[in-house]
Amino acid sequence: MVETLKIFALATDPIYIGTGGYTIGRVDNTIVRDPITNIPKIPGSSLAGTWRYYVVLEALTLKDLKDKQTSTDENKSQNGSTSDEKLENCNGKNNPTNDWKAFLGNQVLRVNCAGQDDAPFVERNDKNNTGHCGCCIVCKGFGFSKKDISWQGMIFFSDLKILLFPVFTFKGTKWITTASILQEIGINESSPRENKIKTKNGNERYLNLGWLYLEVESNHNISNSPVSNFSLKPEDIVIVPESLFSHIVNSNLEVRTSVSIDPITGSAKEGALFTTEAIPRGTIFYGNIRIFDKNNFINSNNKMNNKIGSLPSCEQLKDALKDSARYYESLGIGGMTTRGFGRLKIELINGNSQSGGSQNGQSNQ
């Protein structure tokens, strides 16, 4: 009933997901952190909002879909007691394939199906409905709320947490992680003792991680990179104690200093200097997406369930997410994406069909 997709994401630019407003401290513009560990993260809400937009972009680039699309007035004038019946009568029966692009409700998909709904208090078929259509795969997959019906959606995003964090050393860039983080993705490794680290070779004696100079305790047994598509070798991975991970990450964030330009003089504006922190390029994140298949509910006699109409299958939603993930490599996520921030390379791996995510998933790339 619930299918899981595992996400691995490589930051190809610094990532800035701001907390909003200014703070007094080391930097002016701070980023979102986990309140328990104090480690930066990408919130699931940021992922859901951008991915919704990218699925709409992917759908609207399809010529076949454009040829089938109808206006609200055209659809409303058709015979039928439900939205699905009207759509079928307007453009004929839906394509019988399981292609997500051929989903029946996509006939009324618009760019306004992404983002915040600007007409939440009108019905779906109202001629004044300029917001979410409530019929397409985007609205039914990500959710919508109109006057006649509210729908939670079928796709649930977790936060993206840091799996491997790049740090400068005198042996080049190394990626640090911890035993507990590795265990979450199915790799069992013991943690080094306090103030010691584990490397692949285990014979370096000492290694600097930024400004910290730590003794190498022994070697780790990671034989394959946990993220095969990101060209990371086991020799580049260093396991650090749980107690040091947050300190090392927060001490090696990128801090960028900026200043406003006076439009009259063309020089730096007085008192307008500010600093922004960001998760550095090369960081690798992990998380998951759960897809709740609610199609079994539609066959019941519940009036509200019948009102929602046909729903996309889990496979259709997974294909929509996979096809649109490429937009993260060009348009990115978070703030300042027009100034060198935000791009991600996404890898999706099938999990199990129950809950929690399987450790034996198969890559789809």
Side-chain angles (χ1 to χ4, degrees):
M1 185 170 288
V2 178
E3 295 201 17
T4 304
L5 278 176
K6 285 188 164 189
I7 312 175
F8 294 98
L10 168 66
T12 55
D13 284 333
I15 304 295
Y16 172 73
I17 311 287
T19 56
Y22 289 86
T23 60
I24 299 175
R26 191 169 69 97
V27 296
D28 299 309
N29 298 326
T30 55
I31 55 177
V32 175
R33 287 175 166 80
D34 187 299
I36 306 301
T37 63
N38 200 36
I39 297 172
K41 65 178 182 179
I42 298 177
S45 54
S46 299
L47 201 63
T50 50
W51 221 317
R52 180 176 188 138
Y53 177 50
Y54 294 154
V55 174
V56 170
L57 289 183
E58 179 68 14
L60 292 180
T61 58
L62 305 170
K63 185 178 183 305
D64 289 346
L65 178 61
K66 286 183 178 178
D67 293 341
K68 289 183 178 179
Q69 288 201 306
T70 59
S71 68
T72 302
D73 288 343
E74 285 177 302
N75 186 43
K76 189 180 179 182
S77 63
Q78 301 301 315
N79 294 325
S81 58
T82 66
S83 296
D84 279 5
E85 290 175 356
K86 289 177 180 291
L87 285 168
E88 288 177 356
N89 290 331
C90 191
N91 246 334
K93 293 290 183 183
N94 193 28
N95 190 328
T97 68
N98 196 38
D99 189 345
W100 70 271
K101 298 157 190 170
F103 183 70
L104 180 63
N106 288 352
Q107 292 180 39
V108 290
L109 184 152
R110 304 284 186 269
V111 70
N112 286 352
C113 292
Q116 187 175 10
D117 193 346
D118 60 5
F121 301 114
V122 301
E123 295 187 359
R124 286 184 294 176
N125 288 326
D126 192 300
K127 65 179 181 181
N128 295 317
N129 181 15
T130 57
H132 297 167
C133 71
C135 299
C136 67
I137 192 171
V138 175
C139 290
K140 291 185 177 177
F142 289 82
F144 66 93
S145 182
K146 308 300 290 187
K147 182 180 179 181
D148 54 332
I149 183 173
S150 291
W151 178 251
Q152 180 192 34
M154 301 168 65
I155 309 174
F156 300 75
F157 293 87
S158 76
D159 293 341
L160 289 187
K161 297 185 284 187
I162 292 177
L163 170 62
L164 295 155
F165 185 85
V167 179
F168 173 77
T169 76
F170 62 78
K171 287 186 172 293
T173 303
K174 300 294 181 184
W175 277 257
I176 64 166
T177 187
T178 69
S180 63
I181 292 175
L182 290 172
Q183 193 169 22
E184 288 191 38
I185 62 168
I187 298 176
N188 292 319
E189 280 285 343
S190 60
S191 181
R193 289 177 292 172
E194 189 174 0
N195 297 332
K196 299 182 185 298
I197 59 176
K198 286 186 174 182
T199 65
K200 180 62 178 173
N201 295 326
N203 57 5
E204 293 90 343
R205 295 190 63 191
Y206 289 89
L207 187 67
N208 73 301
L209 298 174
W211 57 271
L212 278 178
Y213 198 60
L214 298 170
E215 183 180 354
V216 178
E217 179 183 273
S218 61
N219 65 300
H220 60 65
N221 298 312
I222 300 173
S223 56
N224 295 310
S225 170
V227 282
S228 56
N229 286 345
F230 297 156
S231 302
L232 188 67
K233 301 174 183 175
E235 291 78 12
D236 295 328
I237 297 174
V238 175
I239 302 177
V240 303
E242 310 286 340
S243 58
L244 286 182
F245 187 69
S246 175
H247 297 291
I248 298 174
V249 168
N250 283 294
S251 297
N252 290 278
L253 294 174
E254 177 167 338
V255 177
R256 189 168 295 193
T257 302
S258 306
V259 67
S260 296
I261 301 298
D262 189 317
I264 304 301
T265 64
S267 60
K269 194 173 182 179
E270 182 71 23
L273 187 72
F274 62 95
T275 53
T276 302
E277 65 179 355
I279 304 171
R281 176 174 61 87
T283 302
I284 296 174
F285 302 87
Y286 73 105
N288 64 66
I289 300 172
R290 299 165 326 273
I291 300 177
F292 185 9
D293 188 354
K294 300 180 181 179
N295 276 290
N296 289 337
F297 299 160
I298 301 305
N299 297 323
S300 70
N301 294 321
N302 185 294
K303 185 177 179 181
M304 178 62 77
N305 290 338
N306 290 330
K307 196 173 183 180
I308 189 66
S310 61
L311 294 176
S313 66
C314 286
E315 289 303 316
Q316 286 177 316
L317 291 172
K318 286 196 286 188
D319 288 344
L321 294 171
K322 291 170 185 172
D323 289 351
S324 56
R326 62 189 177 91
Y327 285 96
Y328 283 103
E329 298 180 28
S330 54
L331 302 181
I333 190 172
M336 299 194 290
T337 51
T338 60
R339 285 172 280 172
F341 286 73
R343 289 183 301 170
L344 287 173
K345 182 178 180 182
I346 301 275
E347 179 182 1
L348 293 173
I349 297 176
N350 280 342
N352 62 18
S353 59
Q354 294 299 315
S355 63
S358 166
Q359 307 303 331
N360 299 314
Q362 299 297 317
S363 173
N364 289 286
Q365 299 193 5

